[in-house]
Amino acid sequence: MSTAKSQINAMSKSTREAIVDKLRACQTDEQLLEFDAQFNIEGNLGPLYIVICEFLHNRTISRAIAAKWLKTLIEDRENKLRIVSVEN
C-alpha cells in the first residue's frame, strides 16, 4: 500500500469532511484547479486526484461529482502536457 493511500485511510472524519466541503465550494473549473494546486503544495496526503478517487471508493462522494472533478483535473493535465509537447 502506498503512503498516500494509508494517509488517506487514516484521515479523520473531520478532515475528510473539510476537504469535501472545500471541493464542493468550488463553483468553477478555475476554482477547482486553484484548490488542486494549493492542496498539492500544502497537503501531505498526495495528489488531489488520488484523494478524490479514495473518496469515491469509500463512497464519501457521489460518482457524478467525482467524475466532474476528475474530468476537470484530467483535462487540465492533458492541456499542460500538450503545451509541453508542442514546446519541445
Side-chain angles (χ1 to χ4, degrees):
M1 178 175 2
S2 71
T3 305
K5 187 172 181 180
S6 64
Q7 288 176 332
I8 293 167
N9 290 336
M11 186 186 320
S12 71
K13 183 177 180 179
S14 62
T15 302
R16 274 193 303 274
E17 289 173 355
I19 294 170
V20 170
D21 288 344
K22 288 180 183 179
L23 283 164
R24 287 187 175 140
C26 297
Q27 297 297 313
T28 66
D29 291 349
E30 292 77 21
Q31 289 174 334
L32 177 63
L33 295 173
E34 287 174 21
F35 177 67
D36 176 52
Q38 176 187 2
F39 182 87
N40 292 336
I41 291 170
E42 296 174 1
N44 61 352
L45 297 172
L48 183 59
Y49 69 88
I50 299 263
V51 174
I52 292 171
C53 288
E54 285 300 313
F55 287 169
L56 181 60
H57 181 262
N58 296 334
R59 298 182 179 182
T60 304
I61 56 176
S62 73
R63 293 177 295 185
I65 195 77
K68 177 184 169 191
W69 293 335
L70 291 171
K71 181 180 177 200
T72 299
L73 295 175
I74 290 168
E75 285 176 346
D76 180 64
R77 181 177 176 161
E78 290 296 319
N79 288 335
K80 288 177 181 174
L81 289 173
R82 272 190 220 104
I83 290 169
V84 169
S85 68
V86 168
E87 290 175 354
N88 293 330

Coordinates of all heavy atoms in Angstrom, one line a residue:
M1 N 0.9 -1.2 0.0 CA 0.0 0.0 0.0 C 0.9 1.2 0.0 O 1.9 1.3 0.7 CB -0.9 0.0 1.2 CG -1.8 1.2 1.3 SD -3.0 1.2 2.7 CE -2.8 -0.2 3.6
S2 N 0.5 2.2 -0.8 CA 1.3 3.4 -0.9 C 1.1 4.3 0.4 O 0.2 4.2 1.1 CB 0.9 4.2 -2.1 OG -0.3 4.8 -1.9
T3 N 2.1 5.2 0.6 CA 2.0 6.1 1.8 C 0.8 7.0 1.7 O 0.1 7.2 2.7 CB 3.3 6.9 1.9 OG1 4.4 6.0 1.9 CG2 3.3 7.8 3.1
A4 N 0.5 7.5 0.5 CA -0.6 8.4 0.3 C -1.9 7.7 0.6 O -2.8 8.3 1.3 CB -0.7 9.0 -1.1
K5 N -2.1 6.5 0.2 CA -3.3 5.7 0.4 C -3.5 5.5 1.9 O -4.6 5.6 2.4 CB -3.3 4.4 -0.4 CG -4.6 3.7 -0.3 CD -4.7 2.5 -1.2 CE -6.1 1.9 -1.1 NZ -6.2 0.7 -2.0
S6 N -2.4 5.1 2.6 CA -2.5 4.9 4.0 C -2.9 6.1 4.8 O -3.6 6.1 5.8 CB -1.3 4.2 4.6 OG -0.2 5.1 4.5
Q7 N -2.3 7.3 4.3 CA -2.6 8.6 5.0 C -4.1 8.9 4.8 O -4.8 9.5 5.6 CB -1.7 9.7 4.5 CG -0.3 9.6 4.9 CD 0.6 10.6 4.3 OE1 0.3 11.1 3.2 NE2 1.6 11.0 5.0
I8 N -4.6 8.7 3.6 CA -6.0 9.0 3.3 C -6.9 8.1 4.1 O -7.9 8.6 4.7 CB -6.3 8.8 1.8 CG1 -5.5 9.8 1.0 CG2 -7.8 8.8 1.5 CD1 -5.5 9.5 -0.5
N9 N -6.6 6.8 4.2 CA -7.4 5.9 5.1 C -7.3 6.3 6.5 O -8.3 6.1 7.3 CB -7.0 4.5 4.9 CG -7.3 4.0 3.5 OD1 -8.2 4.4 2.8 ND2 -6.6 3.0 3.0
A10 N -6.2 6.9 7.0 CA -6.1 7.3 8.4 C -6.6 8.7 8.6 O -6.6 9.1 9.8 CB -4.6 7.2 8.8
M11 N -7.1 9.3 7.6 CA -7.6 10.7 7.7 C -8.8 10.7 8.6 O -9.7 9.9 8.6 CB -8.0 11.2 6.3 CG -8.4 12.6 6.2 SD -9.0 13.1 4.6 CE -7.9 12.2 3.5
S12 N -8.9 11.7 9.5 CA -10.0 11.8 10.4 C -11.3 12.2 9.6 O -11.2 12.8 8.5 CB -9.8 12.9 11.5 OG -9.8 14.2 10.9
K13 N -12.4 11.9 10.2 CA -13.7 12.2 9.5 C -13.8 13.7 9.3 O -14.3 14.2 8.3 CB -14.8 11.7 10.4 CG -16.2 11.9 9.8 CD -17.3 11.4 10.6 CE -18.6 11.6 9.9 NZ -19.8 11.0 10.7
S14 N -13.4 14.5 10.3 CA -13.5 16.0 10.1 C -12.6 16.5 9.0 O -13.0 17.4 8.3 CB -13.2 16.7 11.4 OG -11.8 16.4 11.8
T15 N -11.4 15.9 8.8 CA -10.5 16.3 7.7 C -11.1 15.9 6.4 O -11.2 16.7 5.5 CB -9.2 15.6 7.9 OG1 -8.6 16.0 9.1 CG2 -8.2 16.0 6.7
R16 N -11.7 14.7 6.3 CA -12.4 14.3 5.1 C -13.5 15.3 4.7 O -13.7 15.7 3.6 CB -13.0 12.9 5.2 CG -12.0 11.8 4.9 CD -12.7 10.4 4.7 NE -13.5 10.0 5.9 CZ -13.0 9.4 6.9 NH1 -11.7 9.1 7.0 NH2 -13.7 9.1 8.0
E17 N -14.3 15.6 5.7 CA -15.5 16.5 5.5 C -15.0 17.9 5.1 O -15.6 18.5 4.2 CB -16.3 16.5 6.8 CG -17.1 15.3 7.0 CD -17.8 15.2 8.3 OE1 -17.7 16.2 9.1 OE2 -18.6 14.3 8.6
A18 N -13.9 18.3 5.7 CA -13.4 19.7 5.3 C -12.9 19.7 3.9 O -13.2 20.7 3.2 CB -12.2 20.0 6.3
I19 N -12.2 18.6 3.4 CA -11.8 18.6 2.1 C -13.0 18.5 1.1 O -13.0 19.2 0.1 CB -10.8 17.4 1.8 CG1 -9.5 17.6 2.6 CG2 -10.5 17.2 0.4 CD1 -8.6 16.4 2.7
V20 N -13.9 17.7 1.4 CA -15.1 17.6 0.6 C -15.9 18.9 0.5 O -16.3 19.3 -0.6 CB -16.0 16.4 1.0 CG1 -17.4 16.5 0.3 CG2 -15.4 15.1 0.8
D21 N -16.0 19.6 1.7 CA -16.6 20.9 1.7 C -15.9 21.9 0.8 O -16.5 22.7 0.1 CB -16.7 21.4 3.1 CG -17.8 20.7 4.0 OD1 -18.6 20.0 3.4 OD2 -17.7 20.8 5.2
K22 N -14.6 21.9 0.9 CA -13.8 22.8 0.0 C -14.0 22.5 -1.5 O -14.0 23.4 -2.3 CB -12.3 22.8 0.4 CG -12.1 23.4 1.8 CD -10.6 23.4 2.1 CE -10.4 24.0 3.5 NZ -9.0 23.9 3.9
L23 N -14.0 21.2 -1.8 CA -14.2 20.8 -3.2 C -15.6 21.2 -3.6 O -15.7 21.8 -4.7 CB -14.1 19.3 -3.3 CG -12.7 18.7 -3.3 CD1 -12.7 17.2 -3.1 CD2 -12.0 19.1 -4.6
R24 N -16.6 21.0 -2.8 CA -18.0 21.4 -3.2 C -18.1 22.9 -3.3 O -19.0 23.4 -4.0 CB -19.0 20.8 -2.2 CG -19.1 19.3 -2.4 CD -20.2 18.8 -1.5 NE -20.4 17.3 -1.8 CZ -20.6 16.4 -0.9 NH1 -20.8 16.7 0.4 NH2 -20.8 15.2 -1.2
A25 N -17.3 23.6 -2.6 CA -17.4 25.1 -2.7 C -16.9 25.6 -4.0 O -17.1 26.8 -4.4 CB -16.6 25.7 -1.5
C26 N -16.1 24.8 -4.7 CA -15.6 25.2 -6.0 C -16.7 25.2 -7.0 O -17.2 24.2 -7.4 CB -14.4 24.3 -6.4 SG -13.0 24.3 -5.4
Q27 N -17.1 26.4 -7.5 CA -18.2 26.6 -8.4 C -17.7 26.6 -9.9 O -18.5 26.3 -10.8 CB -19.0 27.8 -8.1 CG -19.6 27.9 -6.7 CD -20.7 26.7 -6.6 OE1 -21.5 26.6 -7.5 NE2 -20.6 26.0 -5.5
T28 N -16.5 26.8 -10.1 CA -15.9 26.9 -11.5 C -14.7 26.0 -11.6 O -14.1 25.6 -10.6 CB -15.5 28.3 -11.9 OG1 -14.4 28.7 -11.0 CG2 -16.6 29.3 -11.7
D29 N -14.4 25.6 -12.8 CA -13.2 24.8 -13.1 C -12.0 25.5 -12.6 O -11.1 24.9 -12.0 CB -13.1 24.5 -14.6 CG -14.1 23.6 -15.1 OD1 -14.9 23.0 -14.3 OD2 -14.2 23.5 -16.4
E30 N -11.9 26.8 -12.7 CA -10.8 27.6 -12.3 C -10.6 27.5 -10.7 O -9.5 27.4 -10.2 CB -10.9 29.1 -12.7 CG -10.8 29.3 -14.2 CD -12.0 28.9 -15.0 OE1 -13.1 28.9 -14.4 OE2 -11.9 28.7 -16.2
Q31 N -11.7 27.6 -10.0 CA -11.6 27.4 -8.6 C -11.2 26.0 -8.2 O -10.3 25.9 -7.2 CB -13.0 27.7 -7.9 CG -13.4 29.2 -8.0 CD -14.8 29.4 -7.5 OE1 -15.7 28.5 -7.6 NE2 -15.1 30.6 -7.0
L32 N -11.6 25.0 -8.9 CA -11.2 23.7 -8.6 C -9.7 23.5 -8.8 O -9.0 22.9 -8.0 CB -12.0 22.6 -9.4 CG -11.6 21.2 -9.2 CD1 -11.8 20.7 -7.8 CD2 -12.3 20.3 -10.2
L33 N -9.2 24.1 -10.0 CA -7.8 24.0 -10.3 C -6.9 24.8 -9.3 O -5.8 24.3 -9.0 CB -7.6 24.4 -11.7 CG -8.2 23.6 -12.8 CD1 -8.1 24.2 -14.2 CD2 -7.7 22.1 -12.8
E34 N -7.4 25.9 -8.8 CA -6.7 26.6 -7.8 C -6.6 25.8 -6.5 O -5.6 25.8 -5.9 CB -7.4 28.0 -7.5 CG -7.2 29.0 -8.6 CD -8.1 30.3 -8.4 OE1 -8.4 30.5 -7.2 OE2 -8.3 31.0 -9.3
F35 N -7.8 25.2 -6.1 CA -7.7 24.4 -4.9 C -6.8 23.2 -5.1 O -6.0 22.8 -4.2 CB -9.1 23.9 -4.6 CG -9.2 22.9 -3.4 CD1 -8.8 23.4 -2.1 CD2 -9.5 21.6 -3.5 CE1 -8.8 22.6 -1.0 CE2 -9.5 20.7 -2.5 CZ -9.2 21.2 -1.2
D36 N -6.8 22.6 -6.3 CA -5.9 21.5 -6.6 C -4.4 21.9 -6.4 O -3.7 21.2 -5.7 CB -6.1 21.0 -8.0 CG -5.2 19.9 -8.5 OD1 -5.0 18.9 -7.7 OD2 -4.5 20.0 -9.5
A37 N -4.1 23.0 -7.0 CA -2.7 23.5 -6.8 C -2.3 23.7 -5.4 O -1.3 23.3 -4.9 CB -2.5 24.8 -7.7
Q38 N -3.2 24.4 -4.7 CA -3.0 24.7 -3.2 C -2.9 23.4 -2.4 O -2.0 23.2 -1.6 CB -4.1 25.5 -2.7 CG -4.0 25.8 -1.2 CD -5.3 26.6 -0.7 OE1 -6.2 26.8 -1.4 NE2 -5.2 26.9 0.6
F39 N -3.8 22.5 -2.7 CA -3.8 21.2 -1.9 C -2.6 20.4 -2.2 O -2.0 19.8 -1.2 CB -5.1 20.4 -2.4 CG -5.2 19.1 -1.7 CD1 -5.9 19.0 -0.5 CD2 -4.7 17.9 -2.2 CE1 -6.0 17.8 0.2 CE2 -4.8 16.7 -1.5 CZ -5.5 16.6 -0.3
N40 N -2.1 20.4 -3.4 CA -0.9 19.6 -3.7 C 0.3 20.2 -3.2 O 1.3 19.5 -2.9 CB -0.8 19.4 -5.3 CG -1.9 18.5 -5.8 OD1 -2.5 17.7 -5.1 ND2 -2.2 18.7 -7.1
I41 N 0.3 21.5 -3.0 CA 1.5 22.2 -2.4 C 1.5 22.0 -0.9 O 2.5 21.7 -0.2 CB 1.6 23.6 -2.8 CG1 1.9 23.8 -4.3 CG2 2.6 24.4 -1.9 CD1 1.7 25.2 -4.8
E42 N 0.3 22.3 -0.3 CA 0.2 22.4 1.2 C 0.0 21.0 1.9 O 0.3 20.8 3.0 CB -0.8 23.4 1.6 CG -0.5 24.8 1.2 CD -1.7 25.7 1.5 OE1 -2.7 25.3 2.0 OE2 -1.5 26.9 1.1
G43 N -0.7 20.2 1.2 CA -1.1 18.9 1.8 C 0.0 17.9 1.8 O 1.0 17.9 1.1
N44 N -0.2 16.9 2.6 CA 0.7 15.8 2.7 C 0.0 14.4 2.4 O 0.5 13.4 2.8 CB 1.5 15.7 4.1 CG 0.5 15.6 5.2 OD1 -0.7 15.6 5.0 ND2 1.0 15.4 6.4
L45 N -1.1 14.5 1.8 CA -1.9 13.3 1.5 C -1.7 12.8 0.1 O -2.2 11.7 -0.2 CB -3.4 13.6 1.7 CG -3.9 14.0 3.1 CD1 -5.3 14.5 3.0 CD2 -3.7 12.9 4.0
G46 N -0.9 13.5 -0.7 CA -0.7 13.1 -2.1 C -1.5 14.0 -3.0 O -2.1 14.9 -2.5
P47 N -1.5 13.6 -4.3 CA -2.2 14.5 -5.2 C -3.8 14.4 -4.9 O -4.3 13.4 -4.5 CB -1.9 13.8 -6.6 CG -0.9 12.8 -6.3 CD -0.8 12.5 -4.9
L48 N -4.4 15.5 -5.2 CA -5.9 15.6 -5.0 C -6.6 14.6 -5.7 O -7.6 14.0 -5.2 CB -6.3 17.0 -5.4 CG -7.8 17.3 -5.1 CD1 -8.2 17.2 -3.6 CD2 -8.2 18.7 -5.6
Y49 N -6.2 14.2 -7.0 CA -7.0 13.2 -7.7 C -7.0 11.9 -7.0 O -8.0 11.1 -7.1 CB -6.5 13.1 -9.2 CG -5.1 12.5 -9.3 CD1 -4.9 11.1 -9.4 CD2 -4.0 13.3 -9.4 CE1 -3.6 10.6 -9.6 CE2 -2.7 12.8 -9.5 CZ -2.5 11.4 -9.6 OH -1.3 10.9 -9.8
I50 N -5.9 11.5 -6.3 CA -5.9 10.3 -5.5 C -6.9 10.4 -4.4 O -7.6 9.4 -4.1 CB -4.5 10.0 -5.0 CG1 -3.5 9.9 -6.1 CG2 -4.4 8.8 -4.0 CD1 -3.1 8.5 -6.6
V51 N -6.9 11.5 -3.7 CA -7.8 11.7 -2.6 C -9.3 11.6 -3.1 O -10.1 10.9 -2.5 CB -7.6 13.1 -1.9 CG1 -8.6 13.4 -0.9 CG2 -6.2 13.1 -1.3
I52 N -9.6 12.2 -4.2 CA -10.9 12.1 -4.8 C -11.2 10.7 -5.1 O -12.4 10.2 -4.9 CB -11.0 13.0 -6.1 CG1 -10.9 14.5 -5.7 CG2 -12.3 12.7 -6.8 CD1 -10.9 15.5 -6.8
C53 N -10.3 9.9 -5.7 CA -10.5 8.5 -6.0 C -10.8 7.7 -4.8 O -11.7 6.8 -4.8 CB -9.4 7.9 -6.8 SG -9.2 8.5 -8.5
E54 N -10.1 8.0 -3.7 CA -10.3 7.3 -2.5 C -11.7 7.6 -1.9 O -12.4 6.8 -1.4 CB -9.2 7.6 -1.4 CG -7.9 6.8 -1.7 CD -8.1 5.3 -1.7 OE1 -8.7 4.8 -0.8 OE2 -7.6 4.7 -2.7
F55 N -12.1 8.9 -2.0 CA -13.4 9.3 -1.5 C -14.5 8.6 -2.3 O -15.5 8.2 -1.7 CB -13.6 10.8 -1.7 CG -12.8 11.7 -0.7 CD1 -12.8 13.1 -0.9 CD2 -12.2 11.2 0.4 CE1 -12.1 13.9 0.0 CE2 -11.6 12.0 1.4 CZ -11.5 13.3 1.1
L56 N -14.3 8.5 -3.6 CA -15.2 7.8 -4.4 C -15.3 6.3 -4.0 O -16.4 5.7 -3.9 CB -14.8 7.9 -5.9 CG -15.6 7.3 -7.0 CD1 -17.1 7.8 -6.9 CD2 -15.0 7.5 -8.3
H57 N -14.1 5.7 -3.9 CA -14.1 4.3 -3.5 C -14.8 4.0 -2.1 O -15.5 3.0 -2.0 CB -12.6 3.8 -3.4 CG -12.4 2.4 -3.0 ND1 -12.1 2.0 -1.7 CD2 -12.5 1.3 -3.8 CE1 -12.1 0.7 -1.7 NE2 -12.3 0.2 -2.9
N58 N -14.6 5.0 -1.2 CA -15.2 4.8 0.1 C -16.6 5.3 0.2 O -17.2 5.4 1.3 CB -14.3 5.5 1.2 CG -12.9 4.9 1.3 OD1 -12.7 3.8 1.0 ND2 -12.0 5.8 1.7
R59 N -17.1 5.8 -0.9 CA -18.5 6.3 -1.0 C -18.7 7.6 -0.2 O -19.8 7.8 0.3 CB -19.5 5.3 -0.7 CG -19.4 4.1 -1.7 CD -20.5 3.1 -1.4 NE -20.3 2.0 -2.4 CZ -21.1 1.0 -2.4 NH1 -22.1 0.9 -1.6 NH2 -20.9 0.1 -3.4
T60 N -17.6 8.4 -0.1 CA -17.7 9.6 0.6 C -18.4 10.7 -0.2 O -19.0 11.6 0.3 CB -16.3 10.1 1.0 OG1 -15.7 9.1 1.8 CG2 -16.3 11.4 1.9
I61 N -18.2 10.5 -1.6 CA -18.8 11.4 -2.5 C -19.5 10.6 -3.6 O -19.3 9.5 -3.8 CB -17.7 12.3 -3.2 CG1 -16.6 11.5 -3.8 CG2 -17.1 13.3 -2.2 CD1 -15.6 12.3 -4.6
S62 N -20.4 11.3 -4.3 CA -21.2 10.7 -5.4 C -20.3 10.4 -6.6 O -19.3 11.1 -6.9 CB -22.4 11.5 -5.8 OG -22.0 12.6 -6.5
R63 N -20.7 9.5 -7.4 CA -20.0 9.2 -8.7 C -20.0 10.4 -9.6 O -19.0 10.7 -10.3 CB -20.6 8.0 -9.4 CG -20.4 6.7 -8.6 CD -21.1 5.6 -9.3 NE -22.5 5.8 -9.2 CZ -23.4 5.0 -9.7 NH1 -23.1 3.8 -10.2 NH2 -24.7 5.2 -9.6
A64 N -21.2 11.1 -9.7 CA -21.3 12.2 -10.6 C -20.4 13.3 -10.2 O -19.7 13.9 -11.1 CB -22.8 12.7 -10.6
I65 N -20.3 13.7 -9.0 CA -19.5 14.8 -8.6 C -18.0 14.4 -8.7 O -17.2 15.2 -9.1 CB -19.8 15.3 -7.2 CG1 -19.2 16.7 -6.9 CG2 -19.4 14.4 -6.1 CD1 -19.9 17.8 -7.6
A66 N -17.7 13.2 -8.4 CA -16.3 12.7 -8.5 C -15.9 12.8 -10.0 O -14.8 13.2 -10.3 CB -16.1 11.3 -8.0
A67 N -16.8 12.3 -10.9 CA -16.5 12.3 -12.3 C -16.3 13.8 -12.8 O -15.3 14.0 -13.6 CB -17.6 11.7 -13.1
K68 N -17.1 14.7 -12.3 CA -16.9 16.1 -12.7 C -15.6 16.6 -12.3 O -14.8 17.3 -13.1 CB -18.0 16.9 -12.1 CG -18.0 18.4 -12.4 CD -19.1 19.1 -11.7 CE -18.8 20.6 -11.7 NZ -19.7 21.4 -10.8
W69 N -15.2 16.4 -11.0 CA -13.9 16.9 -10.5 C -12.7 16.2 -11.3 O -11.8 16.9 -11.7 CB -13.8 16.7 -9.0 CG -14.7 17.5 -8.2 CD1 -15.3 18.7 -8.5 CD2 -15.2 17.1 -6.9 NE1 -16.1 19.1 -7.5 CE2 -16.1 18.1 -6.5 CE3 -15.0 16.0 -6.1 CZ2 -16.7 18.1 -5.2 CZ3 -15.7 16.0 -4.8 CH2 -16.5 17.0 -4.4
L70 N -12.8 14.9 -11.4 CA -11.7 14.2 -12.1 C -11.6 14.6 -13.5 O -10.4 14.8 -14.0 CB -11.9 12.7 -11.9 CG -11.7 12.2 -10.5 CD1 -12.1 10.7 -10.4 CD2 -10.3 12.4 -10.0
K71 N -12.7 14.8 -14.2 CA -12.6 15.3 -15.6 C -11.9 16.6 -15.7 O -11.1 16.8 -16.6 CB -14.0 15.3 -16.2 CG -14.1 15.8 -17.6 CD -15.5 15.9 -18.2 CE -15.4 16.4 -19.6 NZ -16.7 16.9 -20.0
T72 N -12.2 17.5 -14.8 CA -11.6 18.8 -14.8 C -10.1 18.7 -14.6 O -9.3 19.3 -15.3 CB -12.2 19.7 -13.8 OG1 -13.6 19.9 -14.1 CG2 -11.6 21.1 -13.7
L73 N -9.7 17.9 -13.6 CA -8.3 17.7 -13.3 C -7.5 17.1 -14.5 O -6.4 17.5 -14.8 CB -8.1 17.0 -12.0 CG -8.7 17.6 -10.7 CD1 -8.5 16.7 -9.5 CD2 -8.0 18.9 -10.5
I74 N -8.2 16.1 -15.1 CA -7.5 15.3 -16.2 C -7.4 16.2 -17.4 O -6.4 16.2 -18.1 CB -8.3 14.0 -16.5 CG1 -8.1 13.0 -15.3 CG2 -7.8 13.4 -17.8 CD1 -9.0 11.8 -15.3
E75 N -8.5 16.9 -17.7 CA -8.4 17.8 -18.9 C -7.3 18.9 -18.7 O -6.6 19.2 -19.7 CB -9.7 18.5 -19.1 CG -10.8 17.6 -19.7 CD -12.2 18.2 -19.9 OE1 -12.4 19.3 -19.3 OE2 -13.0 17.7 -20.6
D76 N -7.2 19.4 -17.5 CA -6.1 20.4 -17.2 C -4.7 19.8 -17.4 O -3.9 20.4 -18.0 CB -6.3 21.0 -15.8 CG -5.2 22.0 -15.5 OD1 -5.2 23.1 -16.2 OD2 -4.4 21.8 -14.6
R77 N -4.6 18.6 -16.9 CA -3.3 17.9 -17.1 C -3.0 17.6 -18.5 O -1.9 17.8 -19.0 CB -3.3 16.6 -16.3 CG -2.0 15.9 -16.3 CD -2.0 14.6 -15.5 NE -0.8 13.9 -15.7 CZ -0.3 13.0 -14.9 NH1 -1.0 12.7 -13.8 NH2 0.8 12.4 -15.1
E78 N -4.0 17.2 -19.3 CA -3.8 16.9 -20.7 C -3.4 18.2 -21.5 O -2.5 18.2 -22.3 CB -5.1 16.3 -21.3 CG -5.3 14.9 -20.9 CD -4.3 13.9 -21.3 OE1 -3.8 14.0 -22.4 OE2 -3.9 13.0 -20.5
N79 N -4.1 19.3 -21.1 CA -3.7 20.6 -21.8 C -2.3 21.0 -21.5 O -1.6 21.5 -22.4 CB -4.7 21.7 -21.3 CG -6.1 21.5 -21.9 OD1 -6.3 20.9 -23.0 ND2 -7.1 22.0 -21.2
K80 N -1.9 20.8 -20.2 CA -0.5 21.1 -19.9 C 0.5 20.2 -20.6 O 1.5 20.7 -21.1 CB -0.3 21.0 -18.4 CG -1.0 22.1 -17.6 CD -0.8 21.9 -16.1 CE -1.5 23.0 -15.3 NZ -1.5 22.8 -13.9
L81 N 0.2 19.0 -20.7 CA 1.1 18.0 -21.5 C 1.1 18.4 -22.9 O 2.2 18.3 -23.5 CB 0.6 16.6 -21.3 CG 0.8 16.0 -19.9 CD1 0.1 14.6 -19.8 CD2 2.3 15.9 -19.6
R82 N 0.0 18.8 -23.5 CA 0.0 19.2 -24.9 C 0.9 20.4 -25.1 O 1.7 20.5 -26.1 CB -1.4 19.6 -25.4 CG -2.1 18.4 -25.9 CD -3.4 18.8 -26.6 NE -4.4 17.8 -26.2 CZ -5.4 18.0 -25.3 NH1 -5.6 19.1 -24.7 NH2 -6.2 17.0 -25.0
I83 N 0.8 21.4 -24.2 CA 1.6 22.6 -24.3 C 3.1 22.3 -24.2 O 3.9 22.7 -25.0 CB 1.2 23.6 -23.2 CG1 -0.2 24.2 -23.5 CG2 2.3 24.7 -23.1 CD1 -0.8 25.0 -22.4
V84 N 3.5 21.4 -23.3 CA 4.9 21.0 -23.1 C 5.3 20.2 -24.4 O 6.5 20.5 -24.9 CB 5.1 20.1 -21.9 CG1 6.4 19.5 -21.8 CG2 4.8 21.0 -20.6
S85 N 4.5 19.4 -24.9 CA 5.0 18.6 -26.1 C 5.1 19.5 -27.3 O 6.0 19.2 -28.2 CB 4.0 17.4 -26.4 OG 2.8 17.9 -26.8
V86 N 4.3 20.5 -27.5 CA 4.4 21.5 -28.6 C 5.7 22.3 -28.4 O 6.3 22.6 -29.4 CB 3.1 22.4 -28.7 CG1 3.4 23.5 -29.6 CG2 1.9 21.6 -29.0
E87 N 6.0 22.6 -27.2 CA 7.2 23.5 -27.0 C 8.5 22.7 -27.3 O 9.5 23.3 -27.6 CB 7.2 24.0 -25.5 CG 6.2 25.0 -25.2 CD 6.1 25.4 -23.8 OE1 6.8 24.8 -23.0 OE2 5.4 26.3 -23.5
N88 N 8.4 21.4 -27.1 CA 9.6 20.5 -27.4 C 9.7 20.1 -28.8 O 9.9 19.9 -29.7 CB 9.6 19.3 -26.5 CG 9.8 19.7 -25.0 OD1 10.4 20.7 -24.7 ND2 9.3 18.9 -24.1

